[in-house]
Amino acid sequence: METPGRPGGSRAGPMEEPGGAEQRWLRAARAFVRETLCPAGPGGGGAEQLADSVLRCLRSTWGGRSGELPLGYSFISISDLQCQQRTPCCSHMTWSTSDFKKWAHQGEVILPKQSVLPRTHLILIGYLTDGRRQEGKEKLMDGNLYVQDTTGSIPCELLHFESEWLELLFLFPSWAYIPQTSQGSAGYVEILADPVPVDPRPERVVDTIPIFYPATAAQLLSTRVPCQKRAKLNVAGELARLSTLLCIHHKTFFFLFLKCFASAACIPVLVQKPPQLAWHHMLQLGHGYVLTALCVSSLKASGHKVFVTSFSSCLLPYCAEQVKEQPLEIAWQGGAIQPVSPESTVQLPLELTDEKLPVPAKESKILSYMGIITRVLNAKAGLYELDNKICLCLAYQHLLNSARGLRPGACVELRDIHLLQKPLASFPFVVVLGACLHSIVLLKGFSRLSTFHQPVASSGNLYMQLLFRYNLGLPLYLWLVSLLEMLEQRFCCFIGRRRLFIRSVPQGPGVAEKFLVPILNAVVPSKAQVRDVHREILAEMHHCPLQQYQPLEPPCQAPPLSLLRSVAEQRSKEAFNPSQLLSPLEAQHMGTQELNRRLAWSYDTFSAESFQPRMVLMGMLRASCSSGSLQLRDKSASIPCVISRRDGSPFADTALIGSLLQVETYQLVVEQFLQSDFPSWEQLWTLEHVRGRETRLYVQFCFEDVQILHTPEVQVQEGPTSSDNPPLGKKDVCSSKVELGSPEAKLPKLEGTSPRAGSEEGCDRGQSSARGTNCVSRLFLVTQKEGLMSRNYLPAAEGDGEEQELQLSFQATILWMDKPQLWGHPRETGNLPELEQSSNQREDSEAQQRVLLLFMGRSLRWFPFLHPGGLYRLIAPQCLDFGVFEQPCLSPLQGRLLNQLGCPSCLIVSATWHLQHETWISCLAQPQVIPESERAEMEQKVFSIPELLSNSFTGSLVSFCGEIVERALCASPGNEKLSAPCSTRPQKGTLLPWDHSVKLSVSAAPSSPVVLDVYIAAAYLQHLWGLLPGAKILFQNLQRKISRFHNVYCTYIASSCISILALPPTCLLLSSNPAGIASKSPAATSPSLVFLSNLLLQPHSLSQSQILCHLSCVLALSLQWICSVCNSIFREGRCSRHSPPCPSHTGVSQASAKILVEDGTGEALVLCKNQQVAAVLGLSPVEWKAVQSNVQRRGSIFIQHGGASARPGCVEEPQDLVTCYLKSLCRSRAICRPILLTFSLDRKSSKIPQPDSLQPRRFLCGEMEFVSRVGARLSLTCLNIQEADPKVLCGLSSKRIKTSIGHSA
């Protein structure tokens, strides 16, 4: 027969001398009892007597009749159990090995992937108490049970408890210790078997008790008895229902309901006296009980009458032989029965006041269920998984025992539970069981698995606080939980202190609360409604927040950035349709090369409302060391971002790096780079010609639309204190930024960050390595900044003919404002000590000199913050060397750069240095601290677009500001193909062919007709963001050029740079439009109405306009079909090129016409193309299609008006039916009519004539011929032709005449 427990038990009899091992064990046992149990035991008896009782109990429990001692077991105190035991364990002193294996196997069957509790050989002895035995502190009787000795106490959970067990010393033969998940937090004990009392319990002697049954006692709740005659009653009945323990406003209580044995009559009893809260563990449903010394009272909040226990009340098991029923008259004692009116009231803070959702449309079902907890979904939110398929929500009940016992593998019984089906579409469970205050949750069996305890604390629990504050329904609460879990998963690794993020703290709301409260205020109705706890527990007609519900459409979502990227890219990919990117009227006349080039770069834009539900953008603001761009980042991914300010100033707030931002108004841009070989526009409806597609995603938003949810803690360094001059300070209007004076102000170290802090993308986290140490700083003014590009600053090694690898970098020309300063002790500084000297002192000193700063490697992160006109502080942490900013770093290549820029020295910015933005030069209270020469130079650097278009302008490198009105891809001009270094053509990361360029049409102001073209080579585009129509851009150091046709344009070169001053309005962004014409641009709005004579006076000030004119005649007409590949004549379905033969079978129709128009002030030659030719000829779409079809058979038709200059090299074709028809149509009087012409100046056909240039012209009047000198004809390009209604024509003419008279006056 197998010996129970661990081998090694002693068989020594009472008279036998014990062995050495047993003697040592007995000495240890007596010492343990003396040290841990004696002071806490009841008075009398002494330590030796108590030790004898403990040993006697152990012998009887372990060895039975043999009297053996468990020598293989050791004693453990409460404090040692809490401090030393870090993992779950169990102890079964009376079990054999086979018993334990069988018990463990049953646990493994429930959850095969979980391990069972490991067995330890520890003896646990202590007092069972409800908190009243605590010495030296306030007695805490909160309804929980504890095991206690002199070293401490630990909470415990029992499946069976009797009132006689309180304050008695027990041996616990089977128990399990379950620590908490968080390290350093004590756990609790699960009592797996009934404890064994150390001393025999005295038998209770109960006299006959006079009682009332619930059917009789219920009558007292509907009557009123005078207070002086009211008696305390004893009530006996069967326990029908037991509420959970509630604690509201620091008062703990519960309700129980006694039912009559013979009828359905039931009475409520309120238990709120602290010594009686332990009854909650004794009461078992279906058992009979006797409650003594009850009195009738009325709840003040709701008026419900209930029985209330008094301090002398007792809870006794019901025994029919020990009770005697009394008549009701004894309770009244002769008092008159009066109507119900509350006399004595119990003031319970049972109102959870706050708002509630509108009445839902579905009714939940109420049922009973028993199941196994298979997973803890979210302990703080009260969510558990039952039987791998059902979600259990206990959030609407107060779990005052911190959910002890609710571990995977535990068995629970649910009574009067609410069943809700699919309350939230995004929730993974179809069936959700919700427990309200009327429901009963019973723990029927402890888990046998080795899992930790995940405690539920009501204090500081944001889930519960928001649930009860807003009285949320279950669908909205489940959405709230999923949102909080998502935020915790995304940002806790950055913010570090989890409690600050997920819990409310006395110092203020946490990050999650800042985010959620405004959303809940908008979603939950403003009219407050009270959650009536009395009604929920006591009323016969049940009413609770779980009774009715309606499936929720979430108001918003905040998914991980990786999911946002994939969703946006997928939606852009699904919506991609090349046939919709170009207008069919334009595409059908494009050749293959131009067609595919126009499709190579397109974009889609999404706002928060583009997603359902609305997408809220959240991320940590970071500065990338690899790309030199700002980024929003979470644990899953990062997204580049462009930030602007509504006042037009660049974003430069370095103090916000490391902050958590929330943005609800933004523009998510997905740029698509397409590689295709479409033969013609007819194949655009199929994607088989798409050879490759790449995307680039970024987000842009205004800083004023940002809500800062979290800012990293900073430690501000003190500035120098040697100067006694009064501070100059800064203007208040420009000091909206956080005034910080240390390296930690920009990029503080974050607690709990991931171990990848040293990686490229996380290089801005090592900011606070110098926290609390000295550092050297120097103030400087940025005068010029160049853009990001790959450069080679390092000299080649001697004898090495190979080129050094290019490195991404940028450079800035700065002006030191003073000598280096030492910063040390922490204090906040709001002034700039370096500016406290007089301007004369500063100019005469060597402190102010030009320096070229070189940024590369990790220092690229400062690129988005550095802007001309800004005052910055360069900080070298952990440094006491004042010459750290004067170390020479010259190479021959750098020496040539310095000579070009006029700088005496250059400085490579170290990766460990930090940058802090202080203010702008325009915000200084006394701007004279900046040298006058520098101020004058910086003010003259930014020109207006009309100035750049003027013939008198002579500058080469220019800076200007404007709004992008059109964006298009084009082939690089012949003289611009080599503007980017040849080595950059195969540069990694270039998304467009190197020979492509982006043409930006930039307007001086919204809807202004003055437009300047800017060309940017494809090699530079990978580092430029936000080049969208409608965006206001500051272009710096662009090269101004004049074409051979006298057209002024600018090109982006290596020293150029751009800054986004204002984002395009959402209404201006046309999704997936590669041409990108803004809706308010001159190309999309009604241009101004002018005279032809005005164009000679101001040719550069107008990009496009309208004239009311008369179409005099058609001078030349050309209709042809060309090959889409080689541009040869396409005739009868094939290309006409023979040497070498062209395999193309696709032709493109093209038409052009040159017409003569006049408006009474001058004449102009207008070039019309394609559909405009049909408008000139007055042909309908059907007629125009028939003409093109006839032209296709012969390939081309050229018609020339006599005496006019026709297209060079064009000879009229032999006469045929179509040619005769078109020639007669061109010479018909029906063509000569008034039209409204929208045009632009044609600068490429001939030089623009000067206002005083007159040419001789012949005029015929009958047989008379006249010769007169008249102004030269302008060359215009037609943009649109409209038929002019005579009435409208008269009105516009009158308006134009009045405008002209007004201008002349």
Side-chain angles (χ1 to χ4, degrees):
M1 181 176 178
E2 186 178 9
T3 304
R6 185 176 179 178
S10 174
R11 296 181 181 273
M15 303 302 296
E16 185 180 353
E17 186 71 16
E22 182 177 350
Q23 189 175 3
R24 287 191 300 271
W25 192 92
L26 287 173
R27 286 197 300 267
R30 292 183 180 277
F32 175 81
V33 172
R34 183 171 54 252
E35 294 172 0
T36 62
L37 299 178
C38 278
E48 291 301 323
Q49 183 178 352
L50 181 59
D52 291 339
S53 300
V54 171
L55 292 175
R56 188 183 310 111
C57 179
L58 284 171
R59 290 180 188 273
S60 63
T61 304
W62 169 266
R65 293 182 180 180
S66 63
E68 293 182 359
L69 291 172
L71 301 184
Y73 282 74
S74 59
F75 292 90
I76 187 168
S77 65
I78 299 300
S79 62
D80 289 343
L81 181 63
Q82 293 174 321
C83 299
Q84 298 177 9
Q85 189 64 34
R86 299 295 184 184
T87 58
C89 64
C90 66
S91 177
H92 302 279
M93 194 173 66
T94 61
W95 287 12
S96 65
T97 304
S98 60
D99 292 337
F100 176 75
K101 289 183 177 180
K102 181 179 179 180
W103 177 83
H105 177 69
Q106 293 175 353
E108 292 175 343
V109 172
I110 298 176
L111 291 174
K113 295 183 180 180
Q114 294 283 352
S115 59
V116 297
L117 286 167
R119 186 177 185 181
T120 60
H121 297 82
L122 300 173
I123 299 175
L124 181 64
I125 298 180
Y127 294 88
L128 267 179
T129 178
D130 60 354
R132 67 185 68 183
R133 294 181 58 88
Q134 297 191 35
E135 299 178 0
K137 58 178 74 174
E138 182 182 355
K139 295 180 179 180
L140 177 63
M141 290 179 283
D142 55 0
N144 293 315
L145 296 179
Y146 302 87
V147 177
Q148 182 178 345
D149 61 13
T150 59
T151 64
S153 63
I154 185 172
C156 67
E157 291 296 320
L158 302 92
L159 299 180
H160 171 237
F161 181 73
E162 298 181 8
S163 60
E164 294 83 0
W165 294 359
L166 275 177
E167 311 308 322
L168 293 183
L169 182 63
F170 283 94
L171 166 67
F172 300 95
S174 293
W175 55 274
Y177 175 68
I178 310 299
Q180 293 188 18
T181 52
S182 58
Q183 296 294 331
S185 300
Y188 72 98
V189 172
E190 294 177 351
I191 308 301
L192 305 179
D194 285 351
V196 179
V198 172
D199 292 319
R201 291 180 294 174
E203 294 184 2
R204 176 188 298 174
V205 179
V206 181
D207 297 330
T208 302
I209 304 174
I211 56 99
F212 295 94
Y213 287 107
T216 305
Q219 301 180 38
L220 298 177
L221 299 180
S222 59
T223 60
R224 179 176 180 268
V225 181
C227 182
Q228 65 274 15
K229 297 183 179 181
R230 186 182 57 188
K232 294 182 178 180
L233 311 176
N234 303 326
V235 180
E238 177 186 342
L239 183 64
R241 188 157 56 91
L242 179 67
S243 77
T244 183
L245 276 170
L246 298 174
C247 181
I248 301 178
H249 293 179
H250 308 290
K251 288 187 178 182
T252 306
F253 57 93
F254 68 90
F255 287 91
L256 61 91
F257 296 82
L258 292 180
K259 186 176 74 70
C260 191
F261 294 104
S263 66
C266 189
I267 61 169
V269 180
L270 172 63
V271 181
Q272 61 177 348
K273 300 298 186 289
Q276 299 164 1
L277 296 178
W279 294 359
H280 198 271
H281 299 271
M282 310 172 192
L283 295 166
Q284 298 185 44
L285 295 175
H287 288 221
Y289 295 96
V290 177
L291 290 173
T292 65
L294 301 180
C295 58
V296 178
S297 184
S298 177
L299 300 179
K300 185 177 181 180
S302 62
H304 288 89
K305 295 192 71 176
V306 297
F307 286 97
V308 181
T309 60
S310 61
F311 282 103
S312 59
S313 297
C314 295
L315 175 65
L316 304 172
Y318 174 79
C319 181
E321 293 78 11
Q322 296 177 352
V323 298
K324 180 181 179 181
E325 185 177 6
Q326 289 182 304
L328 188 60
E329 289 75 11
I330 297 179
W332 289 333
Q333 295 183 358
I337 300 178
Q338 302 178 11
V340 175
S341 177
E343 173 205 353
S344 91
T345 60
V346 179
Q347 299 186 16
L348 290 180
L350 298 180
E351 295 181 358
L352 305 179
T353 58
D354 263 307
E355 301 156 19
K356 188 177 181 181
L357 290 174
V359 178
K362 291 186 178 182
E363 290 281 344
S364 62
K365 299 179 181 179
I366 298 180
L367 46 81
S368 297
Y369 185 84
M370 181 177 290
I372 303 296
I373 297 178
T374 52
R375 187 156 54 107
V376 178
L377 300 176
N378 190 324
K380 291 183 178 296
L383 298 180
Y384 302 85
E385 182 188 71
L386 296 180
D387 302 328
N388 294 310
K389 58 183 178 181
I390 297 175
C391 175
L392 172 63
C393 177
L394 301 179
Y396 292 85
Q397 283 196 345
H398 284 213
L399 299 178
L400 295 187
N401 68 339
S402 299
R404 290 190 291 270
L406 299 181
R407 299 186 298 118
C411 179
V412 293
E413 180 183 356
L414 309 173
R415 298 190 182 183
D416 296 332
I417 200 81
H418 291 266
L419 183 145
L420 297 84
Q421 293 185 340
K422 204 63 177 177
L424 183 65
S426 58
F427 197 62
F429 293 90
V430 177
V431 176
V432 180
L433 299 179
C436 67
L437 297 180
H438 192 273
S439 305
I440 301 173
V441 180
L442 299 175
L443 183 62
K444 303 300 289 185
F446 290 117
S447 173
R448 306 176 188 187
L449 303 177
S450 179
T451 56
F452 288 87
H453 174 223
Q454 301 183 32
V456 179
S458 57
S459 175
N461 190 329
L462 184 60
Y463 294 100
M464 303 301 173
Q465 288 180 357
L466 296 178
L467 171 65
F468 293 115
R469 185 193 308 175
Y470 292 94
N471 197 11
L472 301 176
L474 184 61
L476 190 57
Y477 177 68
L478 293 178
W479 170 79
L480 174 74
V481 171
S482 63
L483 202 58
L484 280 171
E485 290 176 343
M486 183 67 69
L487 298 183
E488 183 178 358
Q489 178 185 359
R490 294 176 59 190
F491 301 115
C492 271
C493 61
F494 298 102
I495 296 179
R497 290 186 298 171
R498 186 170 180 272
R499 290 184 178 179
L500 177 64
F501 180 81
I502 205 67
R503 300 175 63 182
S504 295
V505 292
Q507 291 76 12
V511 173
E513 192 169 355
K514 288 181 181 178
F515 171 64
L516 288 172
V517 166
I519 298 176
L520 292 177
N521 288 334
V523 173
V524 178
S526 57
K527 184 179 180 181
Q529 185 172 350
V530 177
R531 180 182 178 186
D532 193 343
V533 177
H534 297 162
R535 183 182 178 188
E536 190 171 332
I537 299 177
L538 303 174
E540 296 182 3
M541 297 296 296
H542 181 57
H543 180 80
C544 74
L546 300 175
Q547 188 175 9
Q548 294 179 325
Y549 71 100
Q550 65 178 11
L552 176 70
E553 292 294 335
C556 66
Q557 58 178 324
L561 294 180
S562 59
L563 180 59
L564 176 62
R565 289 184 66 102
S566 61
V567 169
E569 291 175 352
Q570 182 64 26
R571 291 186 58 175
S572 180
K573 180 179 180 180
E574 292 175 353
F576 178 76
N577 187 353
S579 62
Q580 297 178 357
L581 298 181
L582 297 174
S583 170
L585 297 179
E586 297 179 1
Q588 63 182 341
H589 304 292
M590 294 181 182
T592 298
Q593 186 176 5
E594 181 183 3
L595 180 68
N596 290 285
R597 183 170 57 241
R598 294 284 296 272
L599 296 174
W601 189 21
S602 61
Y603 67 92
D604 285 301
T605 57
F606 303 96
S607 63
E609 289 72 21
S610 301
F611 304 91
Q612 293 299 327
R614 181 171 53 92
M615 189 83 72
V616 177
L617 188 64
M618 297 181 67
M620 308 294 297
L621 184 64
R622 294 293 193 221
S624 172
C625 301
S626 59
S627 63
S629 63
L630 289 176
Q631 293 181 345
L632 288 181
R633 188 178 184 187
D634 64 4
K635 187 177 180 179
S636 65
S638 61
I639 295 181
C641 62
V642 177
I643 306 178
S644 67
R645 290 181 177 271
R646 287 201 171 92
D647 60 2
S649 61
F651 177 78
D653 201 343
T654 55
L656 288 180
I657 296 183
S659 300
L660 177 57
L661 307 184
Q662 172 190 345
V663 190
E664 298 190 31
T665 303
Y666 58 86
Q667 298 167 0
L668 185 63
V669 183
V670 181
E671 293 184 339
Q672 298 191 69
F673 300 89
L674 193 69
Q675 297 177 5
S676 61
D677 56 0
F678 288 100
S680 69
W681 68 280
E682 295 177 342
Q683 286 76 33
L684 292 180
W685 280 263
T686 61
L687 299 181
E688 59 183 12
H689 296 281
V690 176
R691 302 307 177 200
R693 177 166 46 198
E694 296 186 38
T695 60
R696 186 175 75 161
L697 183 143
Y698 61 94
V699 64
Q700 50 188 20
F701 51 86
C702 290
F703 178 72
E704 288 77 7
D705 295 326
V706 172
Q707 181 179 358
I708 303 175
L709 300 179
H710 169 78
T711 53
E713 293 184 355
V714 297
Q715 183 174 358
V716 185
Q717 302 274 345
E718 180 182 344
T721 57
S722 59
S723 177
D724 297 329
N725 296 332
L728 297 176
K730 311 169 191 176
K731 292 182 183 179
D732 293 339
V733 296
C734 296
S735 61
S736 59
K737 58 178 282 293
V738 181
E739 295 293 339
L740 301 173
S742 72
E744 291 85 346
K746 288 77 59 191
L747 305 171
K749 185 178 181 181
L750 304 178
E751 300 178 7
T753 54
S754 63
R756 297 181 300 167
S759 63
E760 283 191 350
E761 292 303 321
C763 62
D764 52 358
R765 299 187 191 176
Q767 172 102 3
S768 59
S769 58
R771 186 182 295 267
T773 61
N774 291 330
C775 60
V776 177
S777 73
R778 194 167 187 181
L779 192 70
F780 66 89
L781 171 68
V782 179
T783 60
Q784 181 178 328
K785 169 190 170 185
E786 296 187 3
L788 278 172
M789 69 168 296
S790 296
R791 296 179 174 89
N792 180 17
Y793 287 125
L794 302 178
E798 293 186 6
D800 186 5
E802 297 183 2
E803 293 185 2
Q804 297 291 324
E805 183 179 357
L806 298 179
Q807 186 177 10
L808 188 63
S809 61
F810 76 97
Q811 61 191 35
T813 305
I814 68 162
L815 180 70
W816 292 123
M817 299 307 298
D818 201 0
K819 295 182 179 180
Q821 304 287 344
L822 181 65
W823 294 62
H825 303 289
R827 74 170 174 86
E828 185 174 357
T829 59
N831 303 306
L832 299 176
E834 293 88 340
L835 300 183
E836 295 176 359
Q837 306 177 30
S838 65
S839 58
N840 293 333
Q841 292 175 327
R842 189 173 296 102
E843 290 180 356
D844 294 340
S845 67
E846 297 179 357
Q848 287 192 336
Q849 58 177 325
R850 282 181 177 269
V851 175
L852 180 67
L853 294 185
L854 305 181
F855 296 82
M856 60 187 71
R858 288 166 55 91
S859 61
L860 288 180
R861 66 186 188 270
W862 304 117
F863 178 78
F865 298 99
L866 209 63
H867 301 284
L871 282 169
Y872 298 84
R873 189 180 301 281
L874 189 61
I875 302 171
Q878 292 181 324
C879 180
L880 298 176
D881 182 12
F882 284 92
V884 67
F885 300 130
E886 299 176 359
Q887 298 176 359
C889 51
L890 288 178
S891 67
L893 178 61
Q894 296 165 357
R896 292 195 298 270
L897 280 175
L898 295 180
N899 293 333
Q900 295 175 2
L901 298 175
C903 296
S905 63
C906 72
L907 177 66
I908 297 180
V909 178
S910 172
T912 60
W913 293 354
H914 309 308
L915 204 65
Q916 174 179 327
H917 177 250
E918 294 290 350
T919 185
W920 300 101
I921 183 175
S922 59
C923 296
L924 291 176
Q926 298 183 17
Q928 62 269 23
V929 298
I930 308 299
E932 184 178 356
S933 58
E934 294 292 338
R935 282 188 284 122
E937 182 178 351
M938 294 183 65
E939 291 175 357
Q940 295 177 359
K941 276 191 174 180
V942 180
F943 302 96
S944 66
I945 291 181
E947 288 177 332
L948 299 180
L949 294 175
S950 173
N951 290 330
S952 59
F953 191 87
T954 58
S956 177
L957 289 181
V958 296
S959 299
F960 59 94
C961 180
E963 178 180 313
I964 299 177
V965 295
E966 186 177 353
R967 184 192 79 169
L969 270 181
C970 60
S972 298
N975 57 340
E976 302 296 336
K977 288 186 178 180
L978 299 180
S979 61
C982 295
S983 57
T984 65
R985 297 177 187 176
Q987 186 174 335
K988 182 179 179 180
T990 303
L991 300 175
L992 291 172
W994 68 271
D995 59 343
H996 280 34
S997 290
V998 175
K999 176 186 175 183
L1000 301 177
S1001 298
V1002 182
S1003 172
S1007 302
S1008 172
V1010 182
V1011 174
L1012 174 66
D1013 291 335
V1014 176
Y1015 292 89
I1016 304 177
Y1020 300 115
L1021 286 178
Q1022 59 179 319
H1023 306 301
L1024 301 180
W1025 311 86
L1027 299 181
L1028 300 179
K1032 186 177 181 181
I1033 310 292
L1034 174 62
F1035 297 90
Q1036 297 170 309
N1037 299 328
L1038 268 66
Q1039 187 174 13
R1040 179 182 182 269
K1041 293 188 175 183
I1042 302 178
S1043 69
R1044 56 193 177 97
F1045 302 111
H1046 294 262
N1047 191 15
V1048 178
Y1049 64 99
C1050 292
T1051 59
Y1052 190 96
I1053 58 177
S1055 62
S1056 303
C1057 185
I1058 67 169
S1059 299
I1060 309 296
L1061 301 184
L1063 303 178
T1066 305
C1067 59
L1068 294 187
L1069 289 177
L1070 301 179
S1071 179
S1072 299
N1073 185 353
I1077 301 177
S1079 59
K1080 292 186 178 180
S1081 69
T1085 56
S1086 180
S1088 58
L1089 199 63
V1090 298
F1091 290 107
L1092 287 175
S1093 58
N1094 294 341
L1095 302 180
L1096 293 174
L1097 300 176
Q1098 44 183 358
H1100 292 286
S1101 63
L1102 295 175
S1103 62
Q1104 61 183 50
S1105 300
Q1106 281 185 336
I1107 55 172
L1108 283 170
C1109 58
H1110 184 269
L1111 198 162
S1112 301
C1113 65
V1114 178
L1115 299 178
L1117 177 65
S1118 172
L1119 302 177
Q1120 61 181 349
W1121 283 76
I1122 62 172
C1123 176
S1124 63
V1125 176
C1126 64
N1127 293 333
S1128 300
I1129 294 297
F1130 191 84
R1131 185 181 297 112
E1132 294 182 351
R1134 65 181 62 185
C1135 180
S1136 61
R1137 194 183 73 179
H1138 299 289
S1139 180
C1142 178
S1144 174
H1145 295 280
T1146 304
V1148 176
S1149 67
Q1150 292 185 349
S1152 64
K1154 181 167 289 187
I1155 62 175
L1156 180 64
V1157 299
E1158 58 87 16
D1159 67 345
T1161 65
E1163 289 183 325
L1165 297 176
V1166 183
L1167 177 64
C1168 305
K1169 292 184 178 181
N1170 300 322
Q1171 296 298 325
Q1172 301 164 2
V1173 176
V1176 168
L1177 300 178
L1179 298 177
S1180 66
V1182 176
E1183 295 171 336
W1184 178 243
K1185 185 176 182 180
V1187 170
Q1188 288 181 312
S1189 178
N1190 283 275
V1191 173
Q1192 185 180 14
R1193 286 194 287 266
R1194 57 179 301 172
S1196 62
I1197 294 179
F1198 299 100
I1199 298 176
Q1200 176 178 325
H1201 192 279
S1205 60
R1207 179 177 172 181
C1210 293
V1211 180
E1212 288 195 15
E1213 299 289 337
Q1215 298 289 334
D1216 64 357
L1217 184 61
V1218 177
T1219 305
C1220 293
Y1221 168 74
L1222 292 175
K1223 181 177 292 187
S1224 62
L1225 187 61
C1226 292
R1227 298 174 180 177
S1228 171
R1229 292 186 175 271
I1231 295 296
C1232 304
R1233 64 191 188 278
I1235 58 173
L1236 181 61
L1237 177 67
T1238 304
F1239 66 91
S1240 64
L1241 289 176
D1242 184 6
R1243 307 177 191 274
K1244 296 183 179 180
S1245 58
S1246 61
K1247 294 183 179 180
I1248 298 177
Q1250 300 299 322
D1252 55 351
S1253 61
L1254 299 178
Q1255 300 176 356
R1257 286 281 309 279
R1258 293 185 304 167
F1259 296 92
L1260 294 175
C1261 182
E1263 297 181 356
M1264 300 294 295
E1265 179 177 326
F1266 300 91
V1267 178
S1268 177
R1269 299 180 64 86
V1270 296
R1273 293 172 176 172
L1274 286 169
S1275 294
L1276 308 179
T1277 299
C1278 176
L1279 300 178
N1280 189 27
I1281 293 179
Q1282 300 178 15
E1283 299 296 333
D1285 183 57
K1287 295 182 180 179
V1288 176
L1289 183 62
C1290 294
L1292 291 176
S1293 299
S1294 176
K1295 181 178 179 181
R1296 185 181 64 175
I1297 293 173
K1298 292 180 180 179
T1299 303
S1300 300
I1301 295 175
H1303 285 296
S1304 61

